[in-house]
Amino acid sequence: MSEIKTQLVVLGAGPGGYSAAFRAADLGIETVIIDARDTLGGVCLNVGCIPSKALLHVAKVIDDAKEMASHGVVFGEPKIDLDKVRGWKDSVVGQLTKGLSGMSKMRKVKFVQGYGKFTGSNTIEVEGKDGKTTISFDNAIIAAGSEPVSLPFIPSDDERVIDSTGALEMKDIPEKMLVLGGGIIGLEMGTVYRSLGSQIDVVEFLDQLIPAADKDVIKIYQKYVKDKFNVMLETKVTAVEAKKDGLYVTFEGKQAPAEPVKYDKVLVAVGRRPNGSLLDADKAGVKVDERGFINVDKQMRTNVSNIYAIGDLVGQPMLAHKAVHEGHVAAEVIAGKKHFFDPKCIPSVAYTDPEVAWVGLTEKEAKEQGVSYETASFPWAASGRAIASGRTEGMTKMIFEKDTNRVIGGAIIGINAGEMLGEIGLAIEMGADAEDVALTIHAHPTLNESIGLASEIFEGSITDLP
Ligand code: FAD
């Protein structure tokens, strides 16, 4: 058993954990980071954001090449070499995790591989491939993330039932796959597998896909994917029977097929569960709620004054960029700075085709919170760039506060929506109003012009000169 004494220990090396560790080291704090994986990067780099985007890139090229036929350029049918596709995805992940390892060494952050559990409010024990390590610390940041939720009525020991991690392994391309859950992760993986040749059914319990986004935005998405996915809304799976020739799925609800349907694979994508309950946090006196979340204040401090928590396990939205910013705050507070995690908005993006992105208040949230608002939308059918790209299905929607005309939310559906969303996020953070955005000269022809144009349509964007 080896022993380490350090000023700060970070438990979990995902985007939250490594960002916190790097910031702390930059601020002169001696830092140790622990992860059960062999590499830094957590879920996001190893089995989340990054590998999924590498595969979505492959999917996009296939789809774009097919679409070219209607513009007069015909490519042959794609030949898929699955080993090479997997190799490409793994090389992207490898490049990034190697980069993180270099940055960690440069900062003298010590990496301890293994599974860590608290043994007190100043000690963690780590069980790794090289044996046990006891770490005593002055401060700790818990950044242990989350894992996919499984469903009790679905066989978990059948390799044809997969979660997002299994889907990213790309063992084969099933002829027919059910995506159980119409959220972002399920739809992104469905997009990949469809482009590679699978027939995809999507089942969603609620009355729209990507339930967190506004209905008018999602209506456009649902219309676009109508011929690509068979979507069953307001429908649930009640049983999955594993037989030799396939998985027989029974549905119930509005669009449920009368008989069980046979699938080659079922991807369960019904959400993620925080890992808070797996850390013996009670031995350190840290409170974990019944779902596994750890409650923190605006400085990311738990109920124990020297222990902080960040990322997926402190609450929604479970997104990498939220974890990164929380990690920075925790490290800065430990270094004695009076910083707070107090963003006006956190962007959400589904990197589907088309992309769906929103930031700030949705209309749904504005109504729930009793906020007086008005909206202005610009359809991409009137955007020169969208027409020239053959992708006019998009829409840019701005949400303004009624009395002040301030930008309080925005949503974009269309190609590159995720890249475009940053401008609306900045407008919200900076307290910009409709006139500010409308008077900002956007380059022509860009898709970003639609943000200026949507603001220009809004009557509050023109005020009289004094
Ligand atoms: P995680 O990334 O979950 O990392 C936690 C780490 O802690 C893990 O490496 C784990 O091994 C380690 N750990 C846990 N317990 C212990 C322990 N006791 N001892 C040692 N180590 C431990 N988010 C986005 O913002 N954009 C996206 O495009 C996006 N795409 C995604 C796609 C998929 C398929 C998935 C699954 C997720 C995606 N996410 C995306 C979500 C994103 O991955 C998470 O929000 C983010 O990784 C959370 O970061 P984190 O630092 O909280 O923890």
Side-chain angles (χ1 to χ4, degrees), residues 101-145:
S101 168
M103 286 193 266
S104 178
K105 283 188 187 124
M106 207 174 72
R107 291 175 161 91
K108 299 195 169 45
V109 170
K110 185 173 174 52
F111 175 56
V112 176
Q113 185 282 326
Y115 199 83
K117 285 188 176 180
F118 285 93
T119 48
S121 59
N122 292 94
T123 46
I124 283 182
E125 196 168 286
V126 184
E127 208 164 334
K129 287 178 185 157
D130 296 333
K132 280 190 183 168
T133 309
T134 300
I135 303 176
S136 1
F137 57 83
D138 299 331
N139 290 289
I141 299 176
I142 308 173

Side-chain angles (χ1 to χ4, degrees), residues 20-315:
F22 291 179
R23 179 61 57 96
D26 289 345
L27 292 168
I29 299 170
E30 179 195 21
T31 304
V32 171
I33 191 163
I34 306 167
D35 204 293
R37 290 191 161 84
D38 293 337
T39 52
L40 301 182
V43 168
C44 181
L45 257 72
N46 291 287
V47 290
C49 329
I50 297 300
S52 59
K53 293 344 163 253
L55 295 175
L56 279 162
H57 170 67
V58 173
K60 182 179 180 321
V61 174
I62 295 173
D63 292 348
D64 283 354
K66 280 189 185 153
E67 193 202 303
M68 276 297 120
S70 62
H71 307 332
V73 182
V74 179
F75 293 93
E77 267 301 299
K79 287 192 192 116
I80 314 282
D81 180 337
L82 205 53
D83 289 339
K84 279 200 175 154
V85 174
R86 205 181 306 112
W88 148 252
K89 175 213 48 157
D90 292 342
S91 73
V92 171
V93 171
Q95 201 175 327
L96 283 160
T97 52
K98 208 169 141 203
L100 279 183
S101 168
M103 286 193 266
S104 178
K105 283 188 187 124
M106 207 174 72
R107 291 175 161 91
K108 299 195 169 45
V109 170
K110 185 173 174 52
F111 175 56
V112 176
Q113 185 282 326
Y115 199 83
K117 285 188 176 180
F118 285 93
T119 48
S121 59
N122 292 94
T123 46
I124 283 182
E125 196 168 286
V126 184
E127 208 164 334
K129 287 178 185 157
D130 296 333
K132 280 190 183 168
T133 309
T134 300
I135 303 176
S136 1
F137 57 83
D138 299 331
N139 290 289
I141 299 176
I142 308 173
S146 62
E147 60 185 20
V149 168
S150 50
L151 294 171
F153 53 89
I154 296 183
S156 55
D157 52 355
D158 191 309
E159 61 175 28
R160 295 169 296 180
V161 176
I162 52 175
D163 58 19
S164 59
T165 305
L168 288 165
E169 280 172 12
M170 292 251 112
K171 285 195 178 141
D172 54 19
I173 305 297
E175 211 165 288
K176 189 167 178 183
M177 181 163 88
L178 175 68
V179 175
L180 205 169
I184 294 179
I185 293 178
L187 291 173
E188 286 186 0
M189 292 319 303
T191 304
V192 169
Y193 276 89
R194 191 202 75 89
S195 300
L196 291 174
S198 296
Q199 186 190 329
I200 303 289
D201 285 5
V202 181
V203 58
E204 167 57 50
F205 178 59
L206 296 171
D207 66 354
Q208 70 171 63
L209 296 174
I210 315 181
D214 273 336
K215 240 192 183 85
D216 53 344
V217 176
I218 294 305
K219 249 184 163 170
I220 296 172
Y221 177 74
Q222 288 175 182
K223 192 173 162 203
Y224 190 82
V225 298
K226 188 166 80 310
D227 305 327
K228 301 179 184 337
F229 301 148
N230 170 36
V231 178
M232 296 173 266
L233 296 174
E234 293 178 79
T235 303
K236 63 180 181 182
V237 169
T238 53
V240 177
E241 197 188 342
K243 291 190 184 170
K244 215 170 174 188
D245 65 335
L247 297 162
Y248 285 76
V249 179
T250 309
F251 298 89
E252 198 179 283
K254 202 169 174 180
Q255 290 176 280
E259 298 296 323
V261 181
K262 186 180 107 173
Y263 294 96
D264 302 302
K265 280 219 162 125
V266 171
L267 164 59
V268 182
V270 290
R272 296 184 63 81
R273 177 181 41 223
N275 285 331
S277 320
L278 312 172
L279 314 170
D280 284 354
D282 54 322
K283 292 192 178 152
V286 173
K287 283 190 195 138
V288 181
D289 77 13
E290 66 287 349
R291 291 169 303 162
F293 284 112
I294 295 176
N295 201 18
V296 288
D297 64 17
K298 282 194 166 188
Q299 293 193 306
M300 312 315 299
R301 200 182 264 116
T302 66
N303 62 303
V304 177
S305 65
N306 66 323
I307 302 183
Y308 298 71
I310 57 171
D312 280 8
L313 58 63
V314 302

